[in-house]
Amino acid sequence: MARLKTAILISGRGSNMQALVDAAADPDYPAEIVRVVANVPGAGGLDRAAAAGIATTVIDHRNFDGRAAFEDALHAELTEAGVEMICLAGFMRLLTAAFVERWLDRMINIHPSLLPSFKGLQTHERVLAEGVRFTGCTVHFVRPAMDAGPIIVQAAVPVLPGDDADSLSARVLTAEHRCYPHALRLVAAGQTSIVDEIVTVAGAAGPTGIAVNPDDGVS
């Protein structure tokens, strides 16, 4: 079976990128990582990708006159590489509605909260300030609105007494590293469908999230 040709877009260290790359190293995994693209020269994830033998490209958004020109160059690069699916992994650029439409239902993102709660930045600080008992992460199809779109997989992570933003972030990141490869597997295997902006997973008898373990956030 042909594997889904996937690109990962990054801006930084690429820890979620690494989780996807590690999963795709299994020849039975239904997606193949064919390109890593960074909008920041020197992004740490570029070295990680190169070490895994994956082609990398830097498209510095600062070299373009506006978002449309940057996105045209990005789209051309992805198309030339034969990319069929995009994973956003710490890609710190808001994408225009026009770019999202080009890749509609072929682009997914991970966010460190249980969407639709706590969209945007400073997620863990806001979770702690609100005193919620559980947070987590969400993998979703991308839509033009920030941190919006049909949800594929979520993991709930406990907020523990004495947590600060760093300790909570680390626990959520552990869940992210499991959720993202799981979600991409479902999409690449053709197990997901979207009806009325709700994702259905073929063959799922119950929730498709990742279970909670109080010790590390996931089991």
Side-chain angles (χ1 to χ4, degrees):
M1 182 181 72
R3 303 169 74 195
L4 191 70
K5 296 184 185 304
T6 301
I8 305 173
L9 306 190
I10 65 171
S11 296
R13 61 184 178 175
S15 70
N16 271 308
M17 178 211 75
Q18 188 68 59
L20 294 170
V21 167
D22 291 345
D26 182 348
D28 292 328
Y29 192 78
E32 175 188 8
I33 310 304
V34 298
R35 187 63 54 96
V36 169
V37 181
N39 69 307
V40 177
L46 292 168
D47 289 339
R48 290 185 176 200
I54 298 168
T56 64
T57 304
V58 175
I59 304 177
D60 189 340
H61 64 277
R62 295 169 297 184
N63 294 337
F64 296 87
D65 184 15
R67 289 199 290 170
F70 164 70
E71 291 177 355
D72 283 346
L74 178 58
H75 179 74
E77 175 69 22
L78 297 171
T79 302
E80 177 67 23
V83 170
E84 301 168 294
M85 171 65 61
I86 298 172
C87 292
L88 306 179
F91 185 67
M92 303 304 290
R93 296 292 297 171
L94 290 176
L95 296 165
T96 66
F99 186 87
V100 173
E101 282 297 322
R102 284 171 164 176
W103 292 91
L104 189 68
D105 298 343
R106 297 187 296 147
M107 181 162 54
I108 62 178
N109 179 52
I110 190 162
H111 181 73
S113 77
L114 292 174
L115 293 175
S117 297
F118 300 106
K119 297 178 179 180
L121 301 176
Q122 275 82 51
T123 304
H124 307 300
E125 290 85 350
R126 289 187 289 135
V127 163
L128 292 168
E130 291 291 338
V132 301
R133 297 296 185 249
F134 285 88
T135 183
C137 61
T138 303
V139 185
H140 62 97
F141 286 100
V142 176
R143 293 294 184 263
M146 181 181 66
D147 297 328
I151 292 168
I152 307 164
V153 171
Q154 290 183 306
V157 173
V159 180
L160 301 180
D163 263 336
D164 59 18
D166 289 340
S167 62
L168 184 57
S169 173
R171 193 175 309 111
V172 171
L173 192 62
T174 298
E176 291 179 45
H177 292 169
R178 293 187 61 189
C179 271
Y180 216 170
H182 178 52
L184 179 57
R185 178 189 293 275
L186 293 174
V187 174
Q191 291 182 257
T192 59
S193 57
I194 304 171
V195 178
D196 296 330
E197 292 296 274
I198 301 293
V199 173
T200 298
V201 178
T208 59
I210 303 294
V212 172
N213 181 326
D215 294 328
D216 64 5
V218 294
S219 65

